[in-house]
Amino acid sequence: MIFSLSIALAQINPHLGDLGGNTALIVNACAQHKKADLIVFPELSICGYPPEDLVMKPSFVESCREAVMTVAEKTKNLDCGIILGAPWREFDTDKLPYNAAILLHKGRIEAIRYKHELPNYDVFDERRIFSAGPMPEPVPFKDHMLGIMICEDMWKNRAARHLKNAGADVLIIPNGSPYTIGKHAQRLNLARERVSESGLPLYYINQVGGQDELVFDGGSFVMDAGGNLQAQLPFFREEISAQKNESRSGYTDLSHSYEALKLGLGDYVRKNGFSSVLLGLSGGVDSALVAAIASDALGAKNVQAFMLPSPFTSQESLDDAAALAKALKIKLETISIEEPLKAFEQTLPYLKGLPHENIQSRIRGTLLMALSNSTGKMLLSTGNKSEMAVGYATIYGDMNGGFNPIKDVYKTHVYELCRWRNAQSPVIPENILLKAPTAELRDNQKDQDSLPPYDILDGILQGLIEHEMSVDQICQDSRFERETVLKVWKLLDQSEYKRAQSPPGTKITEKAFGRDRRYPMTNGFVKSVG
């Protein structure tokens, strides 16, 4: 049979929990694309993904059911079918609800299919909150048989084969698939495997937008029965359609990473009721990147920067921060911390060494939080993943903030992203990228006084964090000395309590600190090694 359905992919940005807003978003999209035979929305589109323990509240699940029926009522005069997602509880069971894909047509629920494969790894713990559905059966619709598989059902091979054998003539896959570096290529490869196994065309619809630490990149696509990409929706923005190929020229891991960080920050700020942010500028590369991301995400007028110099702040840093603010067209104010520092020195005459360095950071953190309170602007912290990993940050100091856009960005990647951003338009002064990193908390201080060079440090950290490698495995690489690897491992372990109290930040790697990597704060294992 010739496949003749016109299918529109609705790559929307839902606001998790805002059932009224999401319902309106879905209804408006249907009204604008009512000429399609079928409009497909992402996984759990009625409530947003991932809903986490909201699903454990019966009132939430019931409200989602009511929202689905509202969509059905408001689209009953349209001829198009609608596939949307919602948590769904069967009335005659006390089981956990299901992750459901629901087909609406002319005001009625025509079919419901449940997610069969529930992911239980990395940031996903769906087995905790959902019941696994049976293997999905094809859904008849307008002389076709729809094979509906929800997200993880595509990542395994059982559902596609079952649907093909049961008579499906197309695979339709609603998703809530968060971005990580290289993720889209992985999706395409898996889609080709399912197409190859089934011989069926495939429609893949992903949501877009930031949700807490996750960011969804969209990139929905259509693949024909031969595994050829027939249509590609944009990355990192809402779009409804799948009629034309989009050129992917210009898309790189760096551009995707930057767009993910920008969207993750922008949505976190806006969806939590803020419109503007503030941050401390140091004249260094990390705060420069955060300022650029914030300016691009929210607009320069919504970013306020503060320079908080101490007796150890160099004129070079003051000049670099001023040049950055001017290039970005963001406001910059200077507030000296010398007087508060003197007060602490007089109160605590024994304040020397590391405590003296940390008190400077804590003074800055206190002032920035006070400015956030008084202005209603969200404070951004600016520590990179390398620093967060080894504890090269001050708890209740520079770790203060409501969100950290570069929490999952290694230091070497920070430089790469700055170079990429400057290639679009030069905003980060070259001197910031060339000078040696320093916290400027004592005379002539450099990061490399306390840490290995960042290319070495990041290589070791990626082995320990992303790949869960042992010290022996990492030391097989001739670049890394065993003493250095052991030092980094111990620092990583000892800093768990700091990370547990750090602000959230956008995930872009396979193992971000937080739900990806749940290590104990009290841990004696590392002390038995070496």
Side-chain angles (χ1 to χ4, degrees):
M1 183 178 74
I2 297 175
F3 186 75
S4 59
L5 282 181
S6 168
I7 300 179
L9 301 182
Q11 183 173 288
I12 61 171
N13 184 347
H15 184 167
L16 198 144
D18 181 5
L19 305 185
N22 296 339
T23 296
L25 192 63
I26 291 168
V27 170
N28 290 340
C30 292
Q32 293 173 23
H33 294 81
K34 58 188 177 183
K35 292 184 180 179
D37 292 314
L38 182 66
I39 303 175
V40 185
F41 291 87
E43 178 179 12
L44 295 180
S45 46
I46 205 75
C47 63
Y49 185 86
E52 303 188 80
D53 279 10
L54 280 173
V55 170
M56 308 295 276
K57 296 176 72 68
S59 60
F60 177 75
V61 177
E62 181 56 32
S63 294
C64 289
R65 178 187 289 268
E66 293 170 0
V68 170
M69 300 315 299
T70 297
V71 174
E73 172 63 22
K74 291 188 174 183
T75 60
K76 65 182 180 182
N77 295 322
L78 304 181
D79 187 50
C80 61
I82 302 160
I83 294 177
L84 53 75
W88 202 257
R89 187 185 297 277
E90 295 180 349
F91 288 121
D92 59 349
T93 179
D94 59 358
K95 287 184 179 180
L96 291 169
Y98 295 92
N99 182 335
I102 301 161
L103 173 63
L104 304 178
H105 189 218
K106 295 185 176 179
R108 300 186 303 273
I109 294 178
E110 296 290 346
I112 301 175
R113 293 294 180 265
Y114 299 140
K115 191 173 185 176
H116 177 67
E117 307 280 3
L118 299 181
N120 200 50
Y121 54 86
D122 295 338
V123 300
F124 306 106
D125 51 7
E126 289 195 23
R127 293 180 194 172
R128 181 171 177 270
I129 58 174
F130 287 118
S131 295
M135 194 68 73
E137 299 296 333
V139 174
F141 179 72
K142 293 190 175 182
D143 299 323
H144 287 278
M145 297 294 283
L146 310 180
I148 303 173
M149 310 190 304
I150 303 174
C151 200
E152 188 75 7
D153 290 342
M154 189 192 80
W155 291 66
K156 306 290 191 301
N157 60 18
R158 290 175 287 198
R161 289 176 176 174
H162 177 81
L163 286 164
K164 169 64 175 178
N165 293 335
D169 51 27
V170 63
L171 299 177
I172 296 174
I173 303 156
N175 284 264
S177 180
Y179 169 80
T180 56
I181 297 169
K183 184 72 165 287
H184 187 66
Q186 189 179 11
R187 296 181 195 129
L188 290 176
N189 290 336
L190 286 164
R192 287 193 175 96
E193 289 180 16
R194 302 294 87 85
V195 165
S196 176
E197 293 159 359
S198 65
L200 300 177
L202 181 149
Y203 288 75
Y204 180 101
I205 174 64
N206 191 25
Q207 77 175 46
V208 68
Q211 171 54 38
D212 291 346
E213 296 194 303
L214 302 181
V215 64
F216 298 87
D217 53 328
S220 308
F221 59 87
V222 178
M223 191 172 284
D224 67 20
N228 303 302
L229 201 60
Q230 294 297 305
Q232 172 80 68
L233 268 64
F235 295 95
F236 302 107
R237 75 168 190 261
E238 292 185 285
E239 181 96 357
I240 304 175
S241 185
Q243 305 304 313
K244 298 179 181 179
N245 274 310
E246 176 179 292
S247 171
R248 295 186 65 233
S249 61
Y251 283 109
T252 65
D253 282 342
L254 281 175
S255 67
H256 273 202
S257 292
Y258 193 89
E259 291 299 319
L261 297 172
K262 186 174 78 172
L263 181 58
L265 170 62
D267 270 6
Y268 188 84
V269 170
R270 287 185 288 262
K271 289 180 179 180
N272 281 288
F274 291 83
S275 59
S276 55
V277 298
L278 62 86
L279 74 156
L281 283 188
S282 67
V285 68
D286 297 322
S287 60
L289 179 59
V290 171
I293 293 168
S295 179
D296 290 343
L298 301 167
K301 67 180 181 179
N302 295 313
V303 180
Q304 170 76 65
F306 292 90
M307 187 70 180
L308 304 166
S310 78
F312 305 104
T313 302
S314 66
Q315 186 62 46
E316 180 183 35
S317 293
L318 292 167
D319 293 343
D320 287 341
L324 172 73
K326 181 178 180 180
L328 289 173
K329 299 179 181 178
I330 62 175
K331 298 176 185 176
L332 174 64
E333 293 184 31
T334 299
I335 302 174
S336 173
I337 69 165
E338 290 197 31
E339 290 304 315
L341 181 59
K342 287 178 183 178
F344 274 99
E345 291 169 341
Q346 292 168 359
T347 305
L348 302 171
Y350 49 84
L351 198 63
K352 308 292 183 183
L354 183 60
H356 188 265
E357 294 178 26
N358 285 341
I359 205 68
Q360 296 170 61
S361 182
R362 291 187 175 120
I363 291 169
R364 290 181 173 123
T366 299
L367 291 174
L368 289 170
M369 283 304 303
L371 289 163
S372 175
N373 292 157
S374 63
T375 62
K377 302 176 190 289
M378 181 184 290
L379 172 60
L380 304 181
S381 63
T382 61
N384 62 69
K385 188 173 186 177
S386 307
E387 294 173 349
M388 293 297 102
V390 297
Y392 196 66
T394 304
I395 194 167
Y396 320 126
D398 58 338
M399 290 175 66
N400 282 1
F403 195 77
N404 180 354
I406 62 170
K407 182 180 180 180
D408 198 30
V409 183
Y410 286 107
K411 185 76 167 191
T412 49
H413 198 191
V414 167
Y415 281 100
E416 292 170 347
L417 288 168
C418 287
R419 295 284 187 195
W420 179 87
R421 178 60 184 83
N422 273 359
Q424 315 313 304
S425 61
V427 292
I428 300 172
E430 188 68 13
N431 192 58
I432 289 179
L433 303 178
L434 294 177
K435 66 185 180 182
T438 173
E440 291 193 320
L441 298 173
R442 64 174 186 265
D443 286 329
N444 301 314
Q445 183 182 24
K446 298 290 185 290
D447 288 5
Q448 256 60 79
D449 298 339
S450 305
L451 300 173
Y454 278 113
D455 58 337
I456 298 296
L457 177 63
D458 287 356
I460 294 170
L461 289 173
Q462 287 171 15
L464 292 171
I465 298 168
E466 264 68 36
H467 305 295
E468 298 287 3
M469 296 169 68
S470 69
V471 168
D472 288 340
Q473 288 172 317
I474 294 173
C475 289
Q476 290 175 9
D477 189 322
S478 60
R479 294 178 299 161
F480 307 133
E481 297 178 356
R482 184 176 183 83
E483 181 180 357
T484 302
V485 176
L486 280 170
K487 175 184 177 180
V488 172
W489 190 16
K490 290 176 181 179
L491 287 171
L492 177 66
D493 171 68
Q494 293 165 0
S495 304
E496 201 67 50
Y497 81 99
K498 284 189 178 182
R499 292 189 292 273
Q501 301 177 70
S502 65
T506 303
K507 167 186 166 66
I508 63 169
T509 70
E510 290 291 337
K511 279 286 178 72
F513 293 126
R515 291 179 60 194
D516 270 342
R517 187 179 184 277
R518 308 177 201 183
Y519 270 64
M521 288 180 283
T522 305
N523 174 15
F525 175 67
V526 69
K527 298 175 180 62
S528 68
V529 178

